[in-house]
Amino acid sequence: MNRSLHISEQLPIDPVLPELERTIASSRNAVLHAPPGAGKTTRVPLALMDLPELGGGRIVMLEPRRLAAVYAAHRMASSLGEEAGGTVGYAMRFERRVSGKTRIEVVTEGILTRRLQRDPCLEGVSLVIFDEFHERSIHADLALAFCLEVQREVRPDLRILVMSATLDTGPVASLLGNAPVVSSEGRSFPVEVRYLEDSRDRFPERMAAAVQRALSETEGDILAFLPGSGEIRACREILHERISDPSLSILPLYGDLPFVEQERAILPGTGRKVVLATNIAETSLTIEGVRVVVDGGLSRMVRHDPSSGLNRLVTVRESRASAEQRTGRAGRLAPGVCYRLFGSHTFGAMTPFSPPEILLSDLSSLVLELAVWGVREPGSLSWLDPPPAAAVSTARDLLRDLGALDREGRPTETGRRMAELPVHPRLARLLLRGKELEKEEAAAVVAALLSERDIFRYAPGESARVCESDLLERYEAMTDRARGGGGLSRDGSVRAVERTAGQLSRLMKTSPGRAHREAPLRVDDAARLLLAAYPDRIAGLREAGGDRFLLANGRGALLSPKSGVRGRPLILALQVDAGTGGEGRIHLASTVTPELVRSECGDRVMTGRAVSWDQGQERVL
């Protein structure tokens, strides 16, 4: 590497960089195995950038997490004495910092897939790097399948490098055509593990108590793992109330923080610090000065939520591999300590590895991307884990209901437009319908309400106020807040809806403040938006005055006290859980009329006649 780098320390990955350069120069594909903290994310692209075999082409590196992508780009740019957007840039959903001189571009999930759809030849790209591939996101699996086909069919000169901290390298090397594997040993010091048995206290309380104990028993900075930003904020408030030491910094670290605040958590400070982080800090980032880890044992993972028909982040017990990675964070600089907020028996019962997302998630987005790519059968592409056939079939049925696929599985024009939107196909269809109705801003708010946590809270046993639409109630609360009204505290769920709605509004190219100029969202307009996204969730009342409904798919469901939509003969069941006794439970609903169903979904309405003989009454039915 000929460029002058501003490097203050040697990293464990450095000794193997010459071997990796030779491997990439002589092989189309390669696998790099390096433990967390080895420095592969920020050192490898810079080391490979000027290889003659790349012909001056761009390096695109797929980074699973937004925070890691931004940080990696800034670190690499800084080592070149530049700002991000020059030689090194990044691109992610709703944010892009690249220029004509960019040689290394760090991208987040979905961006690479979108680029491949628009430019299947990846013109100007010489190397694609898949970082942290052990996380096995569905987007990384899909993008790798696409890149392998591009390499096989039209770009034999395209090079692919898969980098991982914990993945078994054998299967992925085989997938890449028996690609050579380069390994970095890394460095680590011994870590003492201390188990803290489970208690009945709320998680933020337990975590705060463990952090206080770690502060009194150990030295060095502390890295605490919590499942999400809500728990981080709650734990931080508790610690601020209990600890008055002005020299101690208690810093959050999660994906939605401004970059300046992220840097405060990542870089060394003047005094001791406690970093409260999500699992972003497991492998993607190295936090300077950490000698103590407090592992909460929980993670947020993407899972398909059948009740809403969307993919959601759910809280799950971490895997043993994740627990070991977190523990290792305490042994980077010197011997360390790891406190685990669970017992040794719980650790032994953990699953060995987190399962690949492709085996657990709703596959409607993936199937739509495959259709736009021109693939009807996923088996024609190369996968580390093929998409399950049953999930593929379910996804196709939904996409046909949404008008994204025709009967032969080919993408419609609507489907192609849906695939260009970085949201679940249901929400993409809702946004497009909003544009057709000139209700773009309203559709953005409705989509945000459906995709984020509920902004209303009900105590156990408390019933919702009777209304025509649970969702319209929430929409009106949000728009009232936007106009300066009260009624909603700006908690995490409200902030998330505001942020997502704003991003979606900009994506649909609506002008700021248009919500105030649009006519109020009426029940019929809300129903039109929701019918576009949930045509499979139409439900009819079984008997007048009751709470039991029959869904279009033939399943029965009971309206829960959380829904205020009462006494309506026809509704859209927007959130339905499994319930008990074979009957689902509807928590979120909206009124719809037969006339609207016929006008919006007329091509999917079927009429049939069944003739049978009633033996008891001796007559034809």
Side-chain angles (χ1 to χ4, degrees):
M1 183 166 52
N2 299 323
R3 295 172 187 263
S4 175
L5 299 181
H6 304 271
I7 295 175
S8 59
E9 64 170 331
Q10 291 295 304
L11 295 178
I13 194 66
D14 291 340
V16 304
L17 290 179
E19 179 187 356
L20 181 63
E21 290 176 23
R22 292 192 296 270
T23 302
I24 294 296
S26 60
S27 304
R28 291 196 307 172
N29 301 329
V31 178
L32 173 63
H33 178 265
K40 57 185 179 297
T41 300
T42 55
R43 287 285 213 264
V44 167
L46 292 172
L48 301 178
M49 180 171 56
D50 291 326
L51 276 182
E53 288 77 10
L54 297 187
R58 182 174 290 192
I59 295 173
V60 174
M61 181 166 71
L62 180 64
E63 195 66 44
R65 302 172 189 273
R66 292 173 58 93
L67 172 57
V70 175
Y71 181 69
H74 279 282
R75 281 292 296 268
M76 285 189 282
S78 177
S79 69
L80 294 171
E82 300 178 2
E83 296 290 330
T87 304
V88 182
Y90 63 87
M92 61 190 64
R93 180 183 173 186
F94 307 122
E95 188 176 355
R96 178 177 169 87
R97 292 191 66 178
V98 296
S99 65
K101 62 178 287 189
T102 299
R103 293 288 315 286
I104 298 171
E105 185 178 0
V106 187
V107 302
T108 52
E109 295 184 338
I111 299 295
L112 178 56
T113 306
R114 187 83 280 107
R115 188 166 301 173
L116 281 158
Q117 293 282 23
R118 293 172 180 167
D119 177 18
C121 292
L122 284 180
E123 293 292 342
V125 176
S126 297
L127 171 65
V128 180
I129 300 175
F130 291 82
D131 193 22
E132 308 294 357
F133 193 71
H134 57 271
E135 295 194 13
R136 296 300 311 282
S137 75
I138 197 169
H139 287 286
D141 279 7
L142 178 62
L144 180 56
F146 282 176
C147 283
L148 286 170
E149 183 172 64
V150 169
Q151 186 185 66
R152 183 172 59 248
E153 299 295 336
V154 295
R155 283 286 310 278
D157 61 316
L158 181 67
R159 285 170 162 78
I160 299 172
L161 172 63
V162 172
M163 304 197 301
S164 174
T166 60
L167 189 69
D168 181 4
T169 58
V172 71
S174 177
L175 180 70
L176 296 177
N178 297 318
V181 178
V182 177
S183 296
S184 169
E185 294 300 323
R187 66 181 180 212
S188 62
F189 293 90
V191 177
E192 177 191 352
V193 176
R194 301 176 185 177
Y195 290 97
L196 307 177
E197 294 294 337
D198 292 338
S199 74
R200 294 187 177 182
D201 292 338
R202 293 173 56 249
F203 182 87
E205 292 276 355
R206 293 170 52 216
M207 177 58 76
V211 168
Q212 286 182 279
R213 175 173 170 177
L215 285 168
S216 65
E217 296 178 348
T218 64
E219 297 179 352
D221 292 342
I222 297 173
L223 171 60
F225 286 99
L226 298 89
S229 59
E231 292 85 354
I232 287 174
R233 285 190 292 269
C235 182
R236 191 184 187 197
E237 289 177 6
I238 295 169
L239 290 172
H240 277 307
E241 291 173 358
R242 296 179 181 177
I243 301 172
S244 57
D245 184 356
S247 66
L248 179 69
S249 299
I250 304 172
L251 304 171
L253 182 61
Y254 52 88
D256 290 332
L257 280 176
F259 183 71
V260 173
E261 293 187 44
Q262 296 168 5
E263 272 200 320
R264 288 182 60 209
I266 295 168
L267 299 179
T270 55
R272 195 177 189 187
K273 69 180 179 183
V274 175
V275 178
L276 306 177
T278 60
N279 58 1
I280 178 65
E282 272 183 29
T283 59
S284 300
L285 294 170
T286 296
I287 301 175
E288 307 291 344
V290 170
R291 292 182 59 185
V292 183
V293 164
V294 183
D295 182 7
L298 302 174
S299 292
R300 290 266 157 78
M301 307 292 290
V302 176
R303 295 288 186 271
H304 178 53
D305 179 5
S307 70
S308 67
L310 302 172
N311 288 331
R312 290 189 185 278
L313 287 173
V314 298
T315 304
V316 298
R317 177 69 73 181
E318 67 182 326
S319 67
R320 283 202 302 273
S322 291
E324 295 289 7
Q325 288 170 29
R326 294 180 179 187
T327 298
R329 286 291 181 180
R332 299 290 174 77
L333 305 174
V337 178
C338 175
Y339 296 84
R340 290 175 173 167
L341 267 63
F342 47 88
S344 56
H345 294 295
T346 299
F347 175 75
M350 289 175 173
T351 57
F353 296 94
S354 299
E357 192 180 322
I358 200 169
L359 301 181
L360 298 173
S361 295
D362 163 49
L363 299 185
S364 54
S365 292
L366 180 141
V367 171
L368 181 56
E369 293 286 1
L370 290 176
V372 173
W373 188 253
V375 171
R376 298 191 196 181
E377 293 302 326
S380 64
L381 297 179
S382 301
W383 306 91
L384 202 54
D385 289 283
V392 169
S393 178
T394 300
R396 282 195 186 119
D397 289 343
L398 173 60
L399 291 170
R400 290 190 185 100
D401 279 345
L402 297 176
L405 299 182
D406 63 19
R407 292 186 178 182
E408 284 71 41
R410 294 179 300 233
T412 63
E413 182 56 35
T414 296
R416 292 184 183 279
R417 292 164 59 203
M418 288 166 57
E420 292 177 355
L421 299 175
V423 292
H424 188 278
R426 286 189 190 270
L427 301 184
R429 187 66 190 92
L430 186 149
L431 291 170
L432 292 179
R433 187 67 180 121
K435 198 169 188 66
E436 294 164 1
L437 297 171
E438 297 186 350
K439 294 285 183 182
E440 297 100 318
E441 190 86 7
V445 176
V446 170
L449 286 166
L450 287 167
S451 60
E452 302 295 342
R453 286 185 296 122
D454 192 1
I455 62 171
F456 285 179
R457 298 286 185 271
Y458 295 105
E462 181 184 0
S463 296
R465 182 174 62 86
V466 175
C467 61
E468 290 183 292
S469 170
D470 296 320
L471 199 69
L472 199 55
E473 263 207 321
R474 289 154 174 81
Y475 173 86
E476 289 170 350
M478 291 298 300
T479 52
D480 183 53
R481 176 181 173 78
R483 296 185 181 99
L488 277 181
S489 61
R490 197 169 187 269
D491 65 4
S493 60
V494 173
R495 286 194 299 269
V497 169
E498 288 175 334
R499 182 176 59 251
T500 301
Q503 292 170 339
L504 293 175
S505 294
R506 290 189 292 274
L507 180 69
M508 300 306 290
K509 295 183 173 61
T510 58
S511 57
R514 173 154 180 187
H516 305 298
R517 298 195 301 272
E518 285 183 357
L521 188 66
R522 299 174 304 159
V523 175
D524 283 0
D525 288 331
R528 288 185 176 92
L529 294 175
L530 296 171
L531 276 167
Y534 292 90
D536 54 328
R537 296 291 185 85
I538 300 169
L541 189 63
R542 287 185 183 272
E543 67 237 3
D547 285 333
R548 284 181 162 77
F549 286 81
L550 180 66
L551 274 70
N553 60 11
R555 182 183 176 192
L558 175 68
L559 199 64
S560 84
K562 291 184 179 181
S563 172
V565 182
R566 301 279 162 188
R568 311 290 176 168
L570 207 59
I571 64 171
L572 280 168
L574 303 175
Q575 192 175 68
V576 189
D577 67 22
T580 58
E583 191 171 48
R585 185 168 285 253
I586 303 169
H587 296 291
L588 199 69
S590 193
T591 302
V592 67
T593 65
E595 292 75 23
L596 275 175
V597 171
R598 292 191 188 98
S599 67
E600 297 292 313
C601 308
D603 58 332
R604 291 190 291 273
V605 174
M606 294 182 294
T607 302
R609 176 175 294 179
V611 180
S612 62
W613 175 257
D614 187 317
Q615 186 68 34
Q617 300 183 39
E618 294 187 346
R619 68 184 184 92
V620 174
L621 297 179

